[in-house]
Short mmCIF file of all heavy atoms in Angstrom, two decimals:
data_model
loop_
_atom_site.label_atom_id
_atom_site.label_comp_id
_atom_site.label_asym_id
_atom_site.label_seq_id
_atom_site.Cartn_x
_atom_site.Cartn_y
_atom_site.Cartn_z
N LEU A 2 121.42 92.09 104.86
CA LEU A 2 121.54 90.66 104.57
C LEU A 2 121.33 89.82 105.83
O LEU A 2 120.72 88.75 105.79
CB LEU A 2 122.89 90.35 103.92
CG LEU A 2 123.19 90.96 102.57
CD1 LEU A 2 124.55 90.55 102.05
CD2 LEU A 2 122.09 90.53 101.58
N ALA A 3 121.85 90.32 106.98
CA ALA A 3 121.68 89.63 108.23
C ALA A 3 120.18 89.54 108.61
O ALA A 3 119.70 88.53 109.15
CB ALA A 3 122.45 90.29 109.33
N LEU A 4 119.46 90.64 108.30
CA LEU A 4 118.02 90.65 108.54
C LEU A 4 117.33 89.58 107.72
O LEU A 4 116.43 88.85 108.22
CB LEU A 4 117.45 92.05 108.26
CG LEU A 4 115.92 92.26 108.45
CD1 LEU A 4 115.60 92.20 109.89
CD2 LEU A 4 115.52 93.58 107.83
N CYS A 5 117.74 89.43 106.47
CA CYS A 5 117.17 88.35 105.61
C CYS A 5 117.49 87.03 106.13
O CYS A 5 116.63 86.10 106.24
CB CYS A 5 117.71 88.51 104.17
SG CYS A 5 117.04 89.94 103.28
N ASP A 6 118.75 86.81 106.48
CA ASP A 6 119.17 85.47 106.94
C ASP A 6 118.54 85.04 108.21
O ASP A 6 118.37 83.83 108.46
CB ASP A 6 120.72 85.47 107.11
CG ASP A 6 121.44 85.63 105.75
OD1 ASP A 6 120.84 85.39 104.71
OD2 ASP A 6 122.65 86.02 105.78
N GLY A 7 118.14 86.05 109.06
CA GLY A 7 117.52 85.74 110.30
C GLY A 7 116.05 85.40 110.18
O GLY A 7 115.44 84.95 111.16
N PHE A 8 115.48 85.61 109.04
CA PHE A 8 114.05 85.32 108.84
C PHE A 8 113.84 83.87 108.37
O PHE A 8 114.42 83.42 107.38
CB PHE A 8 113.43 86.24 107.81
CG PHE A 8 112.03 86.00 107.48
CD1 PHE A 8 111.04 86.28 108.43
CD2 PHE A 8 111.63 85.41 106.28
CE1 PHE A 8 109.68 86.05 108.16
CE2 PHE A 8 110.32 85.15 106.02
CZ PHE A 8 109.35 85.48 106.92
N THR A 9 113.00 83.13 109.07
CA THR A 9 112.77 81.74 108.76
C THR A 9 111.33 81.44 108.37
O THR A 9 110.99 80.27 108.23
CB THR A 9 113.15 80.83 109.98
OG1 THR A 9 112.42 81.29 111.13
CG2 THR A 9 114.64 81.00 110.30
N GLY A 10 110.53 82.45 108.25
CA GLY A 10 109.09 82.26 107.89
C GLY A 10 108.19 82.73 108.98
O GLY A 10 108.57 82.93 110.14
N CYS A 11 106.94 82.98 108.59
CA CYS A 11 105.91 83.48 109.53
C CYS A 11 104.59 82.84 109.18
O CYS A 11 104.24 82.64 108.01
CB CYS A 11 105.82 84.97 109.57
SG CYS A 11 105.62 85.74 107.91
N ASN A 12 103.83 82.52 110.23
CA ASN A 12 102.55 81.87 110.01
C ASN A 12 101.40 82.94 110.10
O ASN A 12 101.62 84.08 110.52
CB ASN A 12 102.30 80.81 111.12
CG ASN A 12 103.31 79.72 111.05
OD1 ASN A 12 103.66 79.24 109.95
ND2 ASN A 12 103.78 79.23 112.20
N ASP A 13 100.24 82.49 109.66
CA ASP A 13 99.04 83.41 109.76
C ASP A 13 99.24 84.70 109.03
O ASP A 13 98.82 85.77 109.51
CB ASP A 13 98.64 83.66 111.25
CG ASP A 13 98.36 82.37 111.99
OD1 ASP A 13 97.82 81.43 111.34
OD2 ASP A 13 98.70 82.28 113.18
N VAL A 14 99.92 84.68 107.92
CA VAL A 14 100.15 85.87 107.11
C VAL A 14 99.71 85.58 105.71
O VAL A 14 99.94 84.55 105.10
CB VAL A 14 101.71 86.21 107.12
CG1 VAL A 14 101.94 87.39 106.13
CG2 VAL A 14 102.12 86.67 108.52
N THR A 15 99.03 86.58 105.14
CA THR A 15 98.66 86.48 103.74
C THR A 15 99.20 87.71 103.00
O THR A 15 99.54 88.74 103.63
CB THR A 15 97.07 86.47 103.55
OG1 THR A 15 96.55 87.72 104.02
CG2 THR A 15 96.48 85.32 104.37
N THR A 16 99.22 87.62 101.73
CA THR A 16 99.69 88.75 100.90
C THR A 16 98.79 89.99 101.14
O THR A 16 99.27 91.09 101.30
CB THR A 16 99.69 88.38 99.39
OG1 THR A 16 100.67 87.35 99.20
CG2 THR A 16 100.11 89.59 98.58
N ALA A 17 97.49 89.77 101.21
CA ALA A 17 96.59 90.88 101.43
C ALA A 17 96.83 91.57 102.79
O ALA A 17 96.78 92.82 102.92
CB ALA A 17 95.16 90.38 101.35
N SER A 18 97.10 90.77 103.84
CA SER A 18 97.32 91.39 105.13
C SER A 18 98.63 92.16 105.16
O SER A 18 98.68 93.21 105.85
CB SER A 18 97.36 90.29 106.22
OG SER A 18 98.48 89.42 106.03
N VAL A 19 99.62 91.72 104.45
CA VAL A 19 100.91 92.45 104.43
C VAL A 19 100.70 93.74 103.67
O VAL A 19 101.22 94.78 104.06
CB VAL A 19 102.00 91.59 103.78
CG1 VAL A 19 103.30 92.37 103.66
CG2 VAL A 19 102.26 90.31 104.56
N VAL A 20 99.97 93.72 102.56
CA VAL A 20 99.67 94.93 101.79
C VAL A 20 99.00 95.93 102.72
O VAL A 20 99.28 97.10 102.69
CB VAL A 20 98.84 94.64 100.57
CG1 VAL A 20 98.32 95.89 99.96
CG2 VAL A 20 99.71 93.89 99.53
N GLY A 21 97.98 95.42 103.45
CA GLY A 21 97.25 96.34 104.38
C GLY A 21 98.16 96.99 105.42
O GLY A 21 98.03 98.16 105.67
N LEU A 22 99.06 96.19 106.01
CA LEU A 22 99.93 96.73 107.02
C LEU A 22 100.89 97.79 106.37
O LEU A 22 101.15 98.86 106.99
CB LEU A 22 100.79 95.62 107.61
CG LEU A 22 100.12 94.79 108.72
CD1 LEU A 22 101.01 93.60 109.10
CD2 LEU A 22 99.83 95.62 109.94
N VAL A 23 101.41 97.48 105.21
CA VAL A 23 102.34 98.45 104.58
C VAL A 23 101.58 99.72 104.24
O VAL A 23 102.11 100.81 104.47
CB VAL A 23 102.94 97.78 103.31
CG1 VAL A 23 103.67 98.86 102.44
CG2 VAL A 23 103.92 96.68 103.65
N SER A 24 100.43 99.59 103.72
CA SER A 24 99.61 100.74 103.36
C SER A 24 99.33 101.69 104.56
O SER A 24 99.42 102.89 104.44
CB SER A 24 98.27 100.38 102.70
OG SER A 24 98.52 99.58 101.55
N ARG A 25 99.09 101.06 105.68
CA ARG A 25 98.72 101.82 106.87
C ARG A 25 99.87 102.38 107.70
O ARG A 25 99.83 103.47 108.17
CB ARG A 25 97.82 100.96 107.83
CG ARG A 25 96.46 100.56 107.27
CD ARG A 25 95.58 100.10 108.43
NE ARG A 25 96.17 99.04 109.19
CZ ARG A 25 96.04 97.70 108.88
NH1 ARG A 25 95.42 97.37 107.83
NH2 ARG A 25 96.61 96.81 109.67
N ALA A 26 100.94 101.61 107.74
CA ALA A 26 101.93 101.91 108.76
C ALA A 26 103.35 102.19 108.27
O ALA A 26 104.16 102.68 109.08
CB ALA A 26 102.01 100.72 109.76
N ILE A 27 103.69 101.96 107.01
CA ILE A 27 105.08 102.11 106.62
C ILE A 27 105.52 103.55 106.72
O ILE A 27 106.71 103.85 106.98
CB ILE A 27 105.31 101.55 105.19
CG1 ILE A 27 106.80 101.33 105.01
CG2 ILE A 27 104.68 102.47 104.12
CD1 ILE A 27 107.14 100.54 103.73
N SER A 28 104.64 104.53 106.49
CA SER A 28 105.04 105.95 106.59
C SER A 28 105.42 106.34 107.99
O SER A 28 106.19 107.26 108.20
CB SER A 28 103.88 106.83 106.12
OG SER A 28 102.74 106.66 106.94
N CYS A 29 104.94 105.59 109.03
CA CYS A 29 105.31 105.84 110.39
C CYS A 29 106.77 105.38 110.66
O CYS A 29 107.50 105.99 111.39
CB CYS A 29 104.35 105.14 111.32
SG CYS A 29 104.57 105.47 113.06
N LEU A 30 107.15 104.26 110.05
CA LEU A 30 108.48 103.73 110.22
C LEU A 30 109.53 104.36 109.33
O LEU A 30 110.68 104.51 109.72
CB LEU A 30 108.45 102.19 110.01
CG LEU A 30 107.59 101.38 111.00
CD1 LEU A 30 107.56 99.92 110.53
CD2 LEU A 30 108.11 101.49 112.37
N SER A 31 109.09 104.69 108.12
CA SER A 31 110.04 105.27 107.10
C SER A 31 109.33 106.47 106.46
O SER A 31 108.91 106.38 105.28
CB SER A 31 110.46 104.21 106.05
OG SER A 31 111.12 103.11 106.63
N PRO A 32 109.27 107.60 107.12
CA PRO A 32 108.57 108.75 106.58
C PRO A 32 109.23 109.33 105.35
O PRO A 32 108.62 110.11 104.67
CB PRO A 32 108.63 109.74 107.78
CG PRO A 32 109.75 109.29 108.64
CD PRO A 32 109.81 107.81 108.49
N CYS A 33 110.49 108.92 105.12
CA CYS A 33 111.20 109.50 103.91
C CYS A 33 110.78 108.83 102.64
O CYS A 33 111.06 109.32 101.54
CB CYS A 33 112.68 109.31 104.12
SG CYS A 33 113.17 107.58 104.17
N LEU A 34 110.07 107.73 102.71
CA LEU A 34 109.65 107.00 101.49
C LEU A 34 108.72 107.87 100.64
O LEU A 34 107.79 108.44 101.15
CB LEU A 34 109.03 105.66 101.76
CG LEU A 34 109.95 104.61 102.37
CD1 LEU A 34 109.17 103.34 102.67
CD2 LEU A 34 111.12 104.30 101.50
N THR A 35 108.94 107.87 99.35
CA THR A 35 108.03 108.61 98.45
C THR A 35 106.76 107.78 98.20
O THR A 35 106.72 106.53 98.45
CB THR A 35 108.71 108.91 97.13
OG1 THR A 35 109.06 107.62 96.47
CG2 THR A 35 110.02 109.67 97.33
N ASP A 36 105.73 108.45 97.66
CA ASP A 36 104.54 107.68 97.32
C ASP A 36 104.82 106.64 96.29
O ASP A 36 104.25 105.53 96.35
CB ASP A 36 103.48 108.69 96.76
CG ASP A 36 102.96 109.64 97.81
OD1 ASP A 36 103.10 109.28 99.03
OD2 ASP A 36 102.34 110.67 97.44
N LEU A 37 105.73 106.94 95.37
CA LEU A 37 106.09 105.94 94.35
C LEU A 37 106.76 104.74 94.93
O LEU A 37 106.41 103.59 94.56
CB LEU A 37 106.91 106.56 93.29
CG LEU A 37 107.44 105.60 92.17
CD1 LEU A 37 106.29 104.99 91.38
CD2 LEU A 37 108.40 106.33 91.23
N SER A 38 107.67 104.95 95.86
CA SER A 38 108.42 103.83 96.46
C SER A 38 107.45 102.93 97.23
O SER A 38 107.57 101.72 97.19
CB SER A 38 109.53 104.35 97.36
OG SER A 38 109.06 105.12 98.39
N VAL A 39 106.47 103.50 97.94
CA VAL A 39 105.52 102.74 98.67
C VAL A 39 104.61 101.92 97.67
O VAL A 39 104.32 100.74 97.88
CB VAL A 39 104.64 103.59 99.55
CG1 VAL A 39 103.53 102.73 100.19
CG2 VAL A 39 105.46 104.27 100.63
N ARG A 40 104.25 102.59 96.62
CA ARG A 40 103.42 101.92 95.54
C ARG A 40 104.21 100.74 94.93
O ARG A 40 103.66 99.67 94.74
CB ARG A 40 103.01 102.91 94.47
CG ARG A 40 102.29 102.30 93.30
CD ARG A 40 101.00 101.69 93.70
NE ARG A 40 100.23 101.17 92.56
CZ ARG A 40 99.48 100.07 92.61
NH1 ARG A 40 99.32 99.42 93.75
NH2 ARG A 40 98.83 99.63 91.53
N VAL A 41 105.51 100.99 94.66
CA VAL A 41 106.30 99.91 94.12
C VAL A 41 106.40 98.77 95.08
O VAL A 41 106.30 97.53 94.71
CB VAL A 41 107.71 100.42 93.75
CG1 VAL A 41 108.69 99.31 93.45
CG2 VAL A 41 107.63 101.38 92.54
N LEU A 42 106.62 99.03 96.35
CA LEU A 42 106.70 97.99 97.34
C LEU A 42 105.39 97.14 97.40
O LEU A 42 105.46 95.93 97.44
CB LEU A 42 107.04 98.54 98.74
CG LEU A 42 107.17 97.51 99.83
CD1 LEU A 42 108.25 96.46 99.53
CD2 LEU A 42 107.43 98.24 101.18
N ILE A 43 104.29 97.83 97.38
CA ILE A 43 103.01 97.11 97.38
C ILE A 43 102.84 96.24 96.14
O ILE A 43 102.40 95.02 96.24
CB ILE A 43 101.86 98.13 97.50
CG1 ILE A 43 101.84 98.71 98.90
CG2 ILE A 43 100.53 97.40 97.20
CD1 ILE A 43 100.80 99.86 99.05
N LEU A 44 103.28 96.70 95.00
CA LEU A 44 103.22 95.90 93.74
C LEU A 44 104.09 94.71 93.85
O LEU A 44 103.76 93.60 93.43
CB LEU A 44 103.66 96.75 92.55
CG LEU A 44 102.66 97.80 92.05
CD1 LEU A 44 103.28 98.72 91.03
CD2 LEU A 44 101.40 97.12 91.50
#
């Protein structure tokens, strides 16, 4: 919740760019995530 409250917005970001970052890099940060959980996050 503190992580959420500390976020105030970000510029130069699009939904497509966030999807791309998650697709490429989330397994490096959270290798325990299943393929389904990553797919759900992208959706």
Side-chain angles (χ1 to χ4, degrees):
L2 293 181
L4 180 66
C5 287
D6 293 340
F8 177 72
T9 57
C11 51
N12 297 319
D13 301 324
V14 173
T15 65
T16 296
S18 67
V19 176
V20 168
L22 280 173
V23 168
S24 300
R25 294 197 305 273
I27 197 169
S28 61
C29 185
L30 297 174
S31 297
C33 64
L34 292 179
T35 62
D36 291 342
L37 176 60
S38 59
V39 175
R40 175 61 179 148
V41 167
L42 180 58
I43 290 174
L44 286 172

